[in-house]
């Protein structure tokens, strides 16, 4: 199957700092990528849809100025959590679809202290 | 109302048991459906696609009822290694993939 690589797999940062997460499609081009967040024992919640060469589409309740998404190429989307706070601590995961199947990055566990 | 709703679980079953998970979706325009499996602290992995005609893969059987907007997953002869969270997934119009909250399964020896 298709490979989606996400980096870093975990990060600990201080409150108020920004964290960038990268999501790469390694063996295919992805015009669209998706960013999810998952809190412990909860479902994957779609945060935003990242579109190559255009603005991301954010889900209701997701602050676009806090979660900056850049999809500058067909193989790379980045999510930057700006001015992170402890409540932003979560598991962030990206995905891209090939036909109807979703392929996921390994996920990034963010801990804000 | 959530777009995709699942049995809350957790399901605790002995090895060898048969267990069934249910899922409903609210968007009638949803086009394709899947079951994913997620192990603790890992990314979801595709388990199987779901079709109206049914889909069987070894011990796993998935079924879709479009009229009722209902999806099911049946696991026969449960193994310890089946312990995981099972996510019901609907691909809606607009290229979105929506996940259910997941059902946790614990298979005990």
């Amino acid at each position: 199957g298709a490979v989606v690589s996400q980096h870093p797999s975990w990060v600990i940062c201080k409150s108020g700092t920004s964290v960038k997460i990268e999501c790469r499609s390694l063996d295919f081009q992805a015009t669209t990528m998706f960013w999810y967040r998952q809190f412990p024992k909860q479902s994957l919640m779609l945060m935003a849809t990242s579109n190559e060469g255009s603005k991301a589409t954010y889900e209701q309740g997701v602050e676009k100025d806090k979660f900056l998404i850049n999809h500058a190429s067909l193989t790379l989307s980045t999510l930057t959590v700006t001015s992170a706070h402890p409540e932003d601590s979560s598991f962030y995961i990206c995905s891209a679809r090939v036909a109807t199947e979703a392929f996921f990055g390994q996920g990034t566990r963010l801990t804000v202290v | 109302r959530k777009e995709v709703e699942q049995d809350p679980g957790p399901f605790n079953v002995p090895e060898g048991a048969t267990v069934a998970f249910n899922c409903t979706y609210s968007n009638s325009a949803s086009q394709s459906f899947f079951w994913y499996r997620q192990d603790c602290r890992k990314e979801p992995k595709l388990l199987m696609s779901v079709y109206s005609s049914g889909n069987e893969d070894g011990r796993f059987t998935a079924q879709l009822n479009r009229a009722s907007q209902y999806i099911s997953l049946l696991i026969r002869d449960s193994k310890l290694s089946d312990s995981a969270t099972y996510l019901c997934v609907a691909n809606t119009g607009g290229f979105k993939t929506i996940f259910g909250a997941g059902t946790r399964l614990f298979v005990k020896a």
Side-chain angles (χ1 to χ4, degrees):
Chain A
V3 178
V4 176
S5 177
Q6 188 173 339
H7 178 82
S9 56
W10 61 270
V11 58
I12 301 173
C13 70
K14 289 185 177 180
S15 189
T17 61
S18 295
V19 175
K20 180 187 283 189
I21 303 169
E22 294 187 348
C23 181
R24 295 181 185 273
S25 56
L26 297 187
D27 51 359
F28 66 102
Q29 293 181 331
T31 55
T32 303
M33 289 186 177
F34 303 90
W35 287 96
Y36 294 85
R37 178 169 54 184
Q38 187 176 36
F39 292 106
K41 298 186 180 183
Q42 294 188 25
S43 179
L44 290 158
M45 296 301 297
L46 180 65
M47 298 177 66
T49 302
S50 170
N51 303 297
E52 187 268 335
S54 64
K55 290 182 179 180
T57 304
Y58 290 81
E59 295 300 300
Q60 191 173 10
V62 178
E63 300 174 58
K64 61 181 181 181
D65 294 329
K66 181 169 182 64
F67 299 98
L68 301 179
I69 291 173
N70 184 280
H71 195 153
S73 78
L74 288 170
T75 59
L76 174 64
S77 175
T78 61
L79 169 68
T80 300
V81 183
T82 62
S83 186
H85 291 285
E87 57 265 31
D88 297 324
S89 298
S90 186
F91 185 63
Y92 292 84
I93 193 164
C94 66
S95 80
R97 274 170 57 173
V98 177
T100 57
E101 184 176 347
F103 293 90
F104 292 87
Q106 300 92 326
T108 298
R109 188 158 301 280
L110 170 64
T111 302
V112 184
V113 298
Chain B
R1 182 186 173 188
K2 294 180 181 177
E3 287 193 60
V4 178
E5 296 204 61
Q6 292 184 240
D7 282 349
F11 286 65
N12 294 285
V13 303
E15 270 189 296
T18 296
V19 61
F21 303 145
N22 302 316
C23 171
T24 57
Y25 61 96
S26 61
N27 188 342
S28 58
S30 297
Q31 299 165 346
S32 54
F33 308 88
F34 306 87
W35 284 99
Y36 278 73
R37 170 190 169 131
Q38 186 176 25
D39 292 293
C40 188
R41 295 175 176 261
K42 296 287 183 64
E43 75 276 19
K45 295 278 179 66
L46 177 66
L47 179 65
M48 60 197 309
S49 303
V50 188
Y51 308 115
S52 298
S53 56
N55 187 12
E56 185 172 324
D57 182 4
R59 298 181 293 108
F60 298 83
T61 301
Q63 189 74 50
L64 164 66
N65 184 320
R66 283 193 182 272
S68 303
Q69 296 183 193
Y70 172 91
I71 302 160
S72 65
L73 176 68
L74 183 75
I75 304 175
R76 291 179 297 277
D77 189 23
S78 300
K79 310 292 184 189
L80 293 176
S81 56
D82 294 333
S83 297
T85 297
Y86 291 84
L87 304 171
C88 176
V89 178
N91 283 336
T92 66
F95 210 50
K96 275 188 188 179
T97 298
I98 304 297
F99 290 82
T103 301
R104 297 182 76 185
L105 172 66
F106 296 101
V107 181
K108 305 168 295 185

